[in-house]
Structures are given as structure tokens and as C-alpha cells.
Amino acid sequence: MPSPSSFLARVAGAPIRPVRAAIRHWVLSAFPRAQAGSVDYDHPHGDPGWFGPDSATWRVHSDFPGMLAGGLAALTLQSLHPLALAGVWDHSNFRGDLLGRLRRTTAFVGGTTYAPSAQTEALIEHVRQIHMHITGHGEDGRPYAANDPALLTWVHVTEAYSFLQGYRRYSHVALPVGAADRYYSEVRRIAEALGASSVPASAHAVDAYFQRIQPELAYTERSRIVLGLLSQVRLPVPAAGLSRDLFLHAGAALLPDWAIELLGRTPRQQRQAGLAQHALWAVAPVFRAALKDGIASRACRRMDVPAEQLQHWA
């Protein structure tokens, strides 16, 4: 079986039209549009949602390769917080439906980014109601609650950091000076609406947050089991193992140094991450060409702006 990097290298050099069709089928099979539920990205006309087409958030979240790799990196980071992991362990069907969990997370991020305002608020309220019923105790006996402001902040920061790193590595678009701070400042609105507190609003604040929280983190047996399941998730597409491994390794390339050390990643794993990073970077433009009619494009049409605007920074 070819390695993920050699497989994607061949894809990057293949005829463009068939590859676009294959990638489109791959994405829609793994993350079907129906997962967006009742969200209407087309109406009402002129409603910018919480961010709008001039935002950093619309730009960063429009890059599918960066978002998927970043999402997997975020899940890896989240597994290092014992109390955050306890909530998933006790209340989530991740053992039997990890792909479903990934799809639901993808739908929530897409909805809160691009949906009109009223629907964004409804999505957030729905999650708030779910969080009210997620409580318990960690392995060390400490209580946890999904609506704990500190845990909500942890989940948000790991996602925002990873999504931004994914954009930096795989979008082929240079991030302007100040854009990272702008992005962090914008997306904290979602975390605060969910109940998070003291949410970092700049790149410097995010770095300081990670420095402060590291003593609370650990790579436990539960972490190992969850990440082991993630490494075996089967996508409903051809070459599912290769697709999964490519994005998992490309996501691992986004991890900060302190997380790499805590996870005990081997030199071989680091080499795999580097190869996958180069392979995904090579094929990322084909993903973008294959997914021109996604929810970001629909939101742009709702606002009467060309979707191509999201490929440039004002």
C-alpha cells in the first residue's frame, strides 16, 4: 500500500478535472451537506451573520484542508486535558460513532461561522442546552461540567489555534500582519456566547494561555485510547485509510512543541508529519477548486460578494 504522502503526491500531479471530481466526492461522502441540518445559508439576503465577508473568520474557515487538519490537531490537544476528556469519555458515543462526532463538530463550526445571525444564535443555544446535562467526575475525583467557563475556554483556544495554524500551513495565502490577532478577537465571541471566560483575544494571549495551562495537562491512558480510536476512524470513501492518515499526520504537523513533547511523539512520527504536511500543501489548491459551492460561497452570495474575495485580505 502506498504511503499517504506518495498517494497525495500522485494526486497532485494527476489531471485536474477527474481529481476535482474525486475530491468533491470524498468530502461530500465524509462530511455530507445534510449534516448542516436545517441551517439556511442563503436567507435572509444581506444578513452577515456574526462575522461577515470582511472578517478574518470567514477567510480562515473557508480553507477546507486547513480546517480539517486543524480540527484533528485540536482533538489531539483536547485529549490532554483530563477534565475535558472526562466529559467526552462519560457522555459521548465516540467509541461507536467517532465520525459522527467529527461531523457534528464540523457542522457547528460551519454554522456559527457562516449562518445568518438568528440561526447562529439558535445553534449556540442548542449546544448550551446540551452542555447543561454533561457533568461528572474525572479519574481523580474532581468534578467537571461541560458548561464550566474554564473548560469551554480550553476547547475554544485549542480549536482556534489549530484552525489558524492549518490556514497558515495549507491555504497558500500569506497571513497579513495583525490578521492572527484579528481572528482570535473575532472568534472569541462564539466561546463567550457558550459561556467561556477570560478568552484570549490575540496571538500573544493565546501563547500565554498555553503556557499557564500546561501544568494541568497530561497524556493519560484515556488520551492514548481516544487518539488510538481517532487513528483508526474509517471514512466512507475510497482509500479511506490513506485519506485519514494523510490528514491525521498533516494535523500533527500543526501541534506546538510543548504538545509534541507531552505526547511523546517519536522521530518517525515527526517525519511522517513532515511528509504529510508537504503532500497536503501540494494538493490543497485542488481541494479549493473542487469545493467552490460550499457554505462559504453560499454565504457570500447571500451578501452579494464574490466568493473569491475570501482568498484575499484587505
Side-chain angles (χ1 to χ4, degrees):
M1 179 178 289
S3 69
S5 57
S6 64
F7 173 74
L8 265 291
R10 291 205 303 271
V11 169
I16 291 296
R17 185 169 296 176
V19 171
R20 287 179 182 173
I23 286 178
R24 178 179 174 80
H25 175 74
W26 185 97
V27 173
L28 296 183
S29 296
F31 302 95
R33 299 275 169 85
Q35 293 300 316
S38 60
V39 175
D40 182 356
Y41 292 96
D42 305 304
H43 306 95
H45 182 264
D47 186 327
W50 278 21
F51 303 105
D54 292 330
S55 67
T57 303
W58 275 32
R59 285 164 172 77
V60 172
H61 291 185
S62 69
D63 185 67
F64 178 84
M67 288 295 286
L68 182 52
L72 294 170
L75 289 175
T76 302
L77 289 174
Q78 288 165 16
S79 75
L80 297 175
H81 196 300
L83 291 184
L85 185 57
V88 174
W89 190 270
D90 294 339
H91 296 272
S92 170
N93 186 27
F94 72 90
R95 297 170 186 83
D97 188 26
L98 183 55
L99 181 59
R101 177 176 172 80
L102 294 174
R103 285 169 167 167
R104 290 187 291 274
T105 300
T106 300
F108 178 78
V109 173
T112 52
T113 301
Y114 296 110
S117 297
Q119 296 183 66
T120 298
E121 291 158 12
L123 287 167
I124 289 172
E125 181 57 28
H126 177 68
V127 171
R128 284 175 58 89
Q129 292 299 318
I130 293 174
H131 283 174
M132 289 176 62
H133 304 286
I134 300 177
T135 60
H137 291 81
E139 290 186 280
D140 60 2
R142 286 183 296 161
Y144 70 79
N147 60 5
D148 179 348
L151 291 184
L152 288 166
T153 298
W154 163 252
V155 172
H156 167 77
V157 174
T158 55
E159 289 181 352
Y161 171 86
S162 299
F163 292 155
L164 187 61
Q165 289 299 103
Y167 184 87
R168 288 181 190 272
R169 299 284 180 89
Y170 304 122
S171 72
H172 289 236
V173 180
L175 199 67
V177 174
D181 290 349
R182 182 176 160 195
Y183 172 71
Y184 285 129
S185 180
E186 290 174 2
V187 293
R188 68 172 171 164
R189 181 179 180 185
I190 297 173
E192 290 170 347
L194 287 170
S197 62
S198 304
V199 183
S202 69
H204 177 76
V206 166
D207 290 342
Y209 172 83
F210 279 142
Q211 187 68 30
R212 290 195 308 272
I213 203 169
Q214 284 177 46
E216 300 179 33
L217 307 180
Y219 181 58
T220 66
E221 178 63 12
R222 284 185 173 184
S223 306
R224 186 190 65 76
I225 291 172
V226 170
L227 294 179
L229 289 171
L230 186 62
S231 71
Q232 298 170 19
V233 67
R234 298 296 296 178
L235 300 174
V237 294
L242 290 171
S243 303
R244 173 199 63 215
D245 290 349
L246 184 280
F247 277 95
L248 278 172
H249 292 316
L254 307 177
L255 295 171
D257 290 341
W258 59 262
I260 291 171
E261 181 177 353
L262 186 55
L263 288 160
R265 289 181 60 80
T266 65
R268 179 175 181 272
Q269 289 174 317
Q270 290 294 86
R271 288 194 297 273
Q272 288 175 322
L275 291 171
Q277 174 181 270
H278 290 301
L280 184 56
W281 187 91
V283 79
V286 188
F287 272 90
R288 188 175 300 114
L291 299 170
K292 286 186 175 180
D293 62 341
I295 59 174
S297 296
R298 291 172 60 187
C300 284
R301 287 197 299 271
R302 189 179 77 237
M303 293 300 298
D304 291 328
V305 298
E308 292 74 19
Q309 176 175 313
L310 301 186
Q311 304 306 315
H312 308 281
W313 290 80

